[in-house]
Each structure stands twice: as structure tokens, then as C-alpha cells.
Amino acid sequence: MSSEPSRATLSGAQHWRSYGPLDLHPILLRAMEAFNEHGYHGTSVRDIATRVGVTVPALYYHYENKQALLTTLLETSMKDVLDRCRAAAAEAGDEPLPRFCAMVESIVLYMANRKGMAFLDTEIRSLEPENRARYVALRDYLQHMLLDTVRAGIREGAFTTPIPADAVRAILIMCQGVANWYRTDGPLTAEEVAERHVLLSLGTVGYAGLPLNGTDEGGADADADGGGRLGRVDGIGGTGRGAGTGRSGGSGGTPRPQAVRRTPRAER
């Protein structure tokens, strides 16, 4: 039987910053865990069936083969990112600057909150040509959404990068990397990581409002222990511990950035 649709999709009522438990079919959930632990080629269908507690024929009743499992997981992940990014962009409005900030925030929050799904992007090399082409088309769509916003910002004078396509590729690679290193028990929440990546991304596209040095208004360095918060675009919404719903930020809209506070020197 061909692969059944995953239930892990963003409902219309769910806010793009909100993350509950991952709602996957048990076979998909165990397949995701096995692929992340042992790689696609290091995992057998029997391994997955054993994890689920079903027979191999029972697994094949739901999914045609191992390739169908990987394809379903990757497409489910990318469609979720796209849904959240579209919702963030729609909420931010048409102005390029807040739209860009919201889109980057939504991507980073996904990478931090859905690490297991996001990390599977490394298995794109294991997709068969037809499945790979379909997945790459979804990924390219996300890239073009962000690129269109950056180009609009250049036209309006908000961004100054002379190489917008390269800038967007660099931003997406940086955001994707969060899935590799972020830990829920680390020093930063997902929201704080997203805030920092918005600032890094604004620098990448040449946002003119960013400060030119790493000192505060009085010229003093940031906290010597590196514990100070990074400067931030005013109003980048819902970040920090305890903000909004759980650890994923508030449910309110992303306000439009107006200015950037001075940024402390990079942590030592």
C-alpha cells in the first residue's frame, strides 16, 4: 500500500509559534528515530517494525517500503515549515522588514522544536530521483519565499546586500544548522536562539538599522562573562523564557521592527 498521509500537519487554529507533542503515526515516529540514530541505509524495515512492535507485513500494510517512510517524513517536515512560514509572513504583513524577521523566526523555531524531523534533511541524498525532485521543489519554494521578501526589502531600501540569492542560501543553511546543535537543556531557549538568528540574518542581508560596533550606548563592553542579552530588533515578538505559551513564545502577532538596540560584544 502507498504511504498514508501523516497527521503531523499544522492546524488552521494553531499559531505558528506554538508547538505541542509531535503527532506522527507510530511507524513514522519510530522510523524517524531509527533514521536519526543509524542513518537511512543503516536502518532496516525489520528494525523499524521491532521498535513499533509490529510484524514486517503489518508495517508494509501501512507503508509500501522504507523509501516511502523517508519520503513521507521529509515531505511532512517541509510542508509544516512552509505552513508556519506562510502564517508568519501573513501575520507580519506586506512590509519586507517585519515579514523577513517573522519568516526567519518561524524557520528557526521549527528547527529547534522539531529537531528530529528537521535533522532528516541530511538524508535527502537517500531519496530516489522522483522523490528527491518533489522534496527539492518544496525546499526551493521556501527559499524563494524568503528571497522575494529580501528583494522587496532591497527595492525599498531596508536591505543593502548586493547578492540576495547568496544571502538567502546562507541564512537557510544557518537556520537548518540549529537542528544539529540546539539542546532543550542548554543555556538558551528556542525563542532566544530564534531572536539571535533574526539579528544574524538581518546582518546577512545588510539591514541598515543594525549597529556598527559591539558596545552599548556608553561605549562600555557587554557583560564580561558573556551573560548579557544580544541587542534586538524592537518588537521581535514572543521570545524569552516564559513568554507566551510554554517555551515557544507568545501567540500574538510579530510587531513591526522600528529600531535596533545597541548590540553587546560577542560572547567570549
Side-chain angles (χ1 to χ4, degrees), residues 40 62 66 74 77 81 128 132 151 197 213 228 232:
Y40 177 78
H62 293 281
K66 189 172 69 167
L74 283 170
S77 179
V81 176
E128 295 172 357
R132 178 186 173 92
R151 284 174 171 160
H197 277 68
N213 59 49
R232 61 191 294 269

Side-chain angles (χ1 to χ4, degrees), residues 7-23 76-92 99 101-114 117 141-142 145 248-250 254:
R7 296 175 296 169
T9 55
L10 184 67
S11 68
Q14 185 180 14
H15 191 264
W16 58 268
R17 286 195 185 98
S18 177
Y19 285 87
L22 185 59
D23 185 20
T76 294
S77 179
M78 185 53 65
K79 288 174 182 177
D80 195 0
V81 176
L82 283 170
D83 284 346
R84 291 175 184 275
C85 197
R86 288 191 195 102
E91 183 180 281
R99 189 178 180 90
C101 291
M103 292 170 72
V104 172
E105 181 187 352
S106 72
I107 294 168
V108 176
L109 287 177
Y110 183 85
M111 299 302 165
N113 284 284
R114 291 288 185 259
M117 293 290 281
Y141 185 86
L142 178 65
M145 283 177 60
S248 331
T254 303

